[in-house]
Amino acid sequence: MSRTFMTGLASFSLAFGFSYVTQHLTEKHLPYSRKGHIIVSSLLACAVAYQVTSVRARACQEGWMAAEDKHTYLNPISERPKPSESIGTLVLQPWVKWGASKRTDTSGQLLLDEAVALVATLPGVQVVAKEIVPVKSMDKKFIFGSGTLERLVSQVRGSRDISCIFISVEMLKRGQIIALEEAFGRKVLDRYSVVLGIFRHHAQTKEARLQIALAELPYMRKRLFGEKEHLMIIEREKHLKTALDKLAAVRAIIRKRRTKNSLPSVAVVGYTNSGKTSLIHAITKDVRAEGKDQLFATLDVTAHGGRLPCGLKVVFIDTVGFIQNIPTELVASFKATLEDAVYSNVVVHVRDASHPDYELQGTTVNQTLNSLPLPKDTPVITVANKMDLETAKPKEELKGVHLVSALKGQGIEELLYDVEKEVLRVTGRKMWRFSLPTGSYEIQWLRSATGLAHEEVDEADPQTTRVMAVLTDQELATFHRNFGKHLIVGLSVCCDGACVHV
């Protein structure tokens, strides 16, 4: 941009000088005053500079886009599709038929369904064919047997609709990609590249884009040969980590500010498309928390303010969704994002009760949480979402979890009482009863400090208001010092909406 500006400035200066001198030499034929010379010269110079900078900016833009495509190793679309066009994709789900590598926790059809949903999330991509392909092992050069490979190659090369093949495995080796692309004559993708493509499409903030750029490096590292390229990747990794560390420091400051303000936080985690954002919207009514029926709709961690039934202000944190068969490098790149879950007071694990792979998805999320430095004493509340759908699991099979429908708002109140109980326990807060002058500063102080669970004017004495508020021991001590201990009536233990006074 600075070079374009300097180009325009130089063009303006040359045009101005040339026109000004020319007008002086032809004063007899151009009866302008000296001021007129300056005006005419300026107008001509502006016109020339505008034209030159427009051409320069257009050339820079085209060059930048070309460079971006050249260095984007993970772009599944070799050419940018026109709005009316789509990239026809063949989805292949390898399935080990027997042996130690055979999976027993899911089925080939469920894996294929997820693979189709995954690649269909990419913009401009259309699934034109899909297939479960039995294999002996994932380690072979071509993955598939010779007969199967011959049939697939014939199918791909004989179709004008297939321009890309998605093989749903965690990460293909460099030799496998080269061999398969030579055999098919088409672009070949694996799960790592597809997920990164989705991430790039959904990234909105600087932090998300930096994390995606960092996640691309391990993928690129395994596909480059030269030492020079590897050194470039190492240098690039240092710059990205430095930039992310600065953003992580900002997040740490925000977390400290929440702690200083005694603002508890609740992290909402779960498998991708389980309904995390929709649940936060149902709880907080925050219009920014807009759920979408697509994979990885949320990449950027967002905080949404809400209140528990006791009136306590709480921050609900939306996090990136998890998915199976993703290398640890990809999860590690989002470390700064997942730290918000690690430092939360309570974790809410949202599960899709309507999904056939309900158990496997839950296991995937739990394994990811276990890989994080999450304190062992952090309470995790499990929620079975989408209970309004006909495909939801029977209630008797979902014991020990909260049954909710974020879309219909069902089961939200019961869930909040459980969240409240854990937040109060972890943060050492208790519910206290007060008898205070109506409209007094004491009531305002309690309301601003933590919020009020209950506020009722005494019918027998309108000058007195009965109040219930949640306070830490330190906040209670502050109230003692400021207003006096005699105003405190007693302690209340509240659960599921009922309060017992002690």
Side-chain angles (χ1 to χ4, degrees), residues 14 56 78 113 122 168 201 236 253 271 277 295 352 365 380 396 409 443:
L14 289 173
R56 169 73 177 177
S78 57
D113 292 342
L122 285 169
S168 184
H201 177 63
R236 171 76 168 159
I253 292 172
Y271 207 82
T277 305
L295 304 182
D352 183 355
V365 174
V380 179
E396 53 270 18
I443 295 178

Side-chain angles (χ1 to χ4, degrees), residues 16-156:
F16 180 87
F18 178 78
S19 61
Y20 189 77
V21 171
T22 302
Q23 289 174 86
H24 267 289
L25 293 175
T26 58
E27 276 184 330
K28 294 181 180 180
H29 304 286
L30 295 173
Y32 299 125
S33 63
R34 188 173 184 82
K35 183 178 181 182
H37 291 346
I38 293 176
I39 292 174
V40 173
S41 300
S42 299
L43 291 174
L44 288 172
C46 286
V48 172
Y50 175 79
Q51 182 64 25
V52 171
T53 51
S54 296
V55 174
R56 169 73 177 177
R58 193 158 49 247
C60 289
Q61 179 69 11
E62 291 173 356
W64 176 83
M65 292 174 66
E68 183 190 47
D69 287 340
K70 178 181 178 181
H71 295 290
T72 301
Y73 294 83
L74 305 171
N75 188 355
I77 304 172
S78 57
E79 296 181 1
R80 298 177 184 273
K82 298 178 181 178
S84 59
E85 296 178 350
S86 60
I87 304 300
T89 304
L90 167 64
V91 179
L92 301 177
Q93 178 60 63
W95 180 252
V96 179
K97 296 180 290 185
W98 59 75
S101 300
K102 178 178 173 60
R103 296 188 61 174
T104 58
D105 56 352
T106 186
S107 67
Q109 185 59 50
L110 289 176
L111 290 176
L112 177 63
D113 292 342
E114 182 176 89
V116 169
L118 198 61
V119 73
T121 307
L122 285 169
V125 173
Q126 180 183 5
V127 177
V128 296
K130 57 184 179 179
E131 181 179 344
I132 301 172
V133 186
V135 297
K136 292 182 179 180
S137 170
M138 301 289 189
D139 298 326
K140 289 187 176 182
K141 181 178 181 180
F142 292 98
I143 298 182
F144 313 109
S146 57
T148 301
L149 179 65
E150 183 179 352
R151 175 180 63 81
L152 291 173
V153 168
S154 176
Q155 176 187 351
V156 170

Side-chain angles (χ1 to χ4, degrees), residues 266-272 274-276 279 317 319 322 346-353 358-369 374 379-385 400-402 404 415 419:
V266 178
V268 182
V269 305
Y271 207 82
T272 180
S274 60
K276 301 181 299 298
L279 180 64
I317 299 174
T319 61
F322 304 148
V346 176
V347 173
V348 173
H349 176 190
V350 183
R351 301 176 64 176
D352 183 355
Y358 174 85
E359 296 297 339
L360 177 60
Q361 289 187 355
T363 301
T364 300
V365 174
N366 288 330
Q367 288 175 346
T368 306
L369 287 176
L374 187 71
V380 179
I381 300 173
T382 304
V383 175
N385 189 27
V401 301
H402 283 277
V404 307
L415 169 63
V419 172

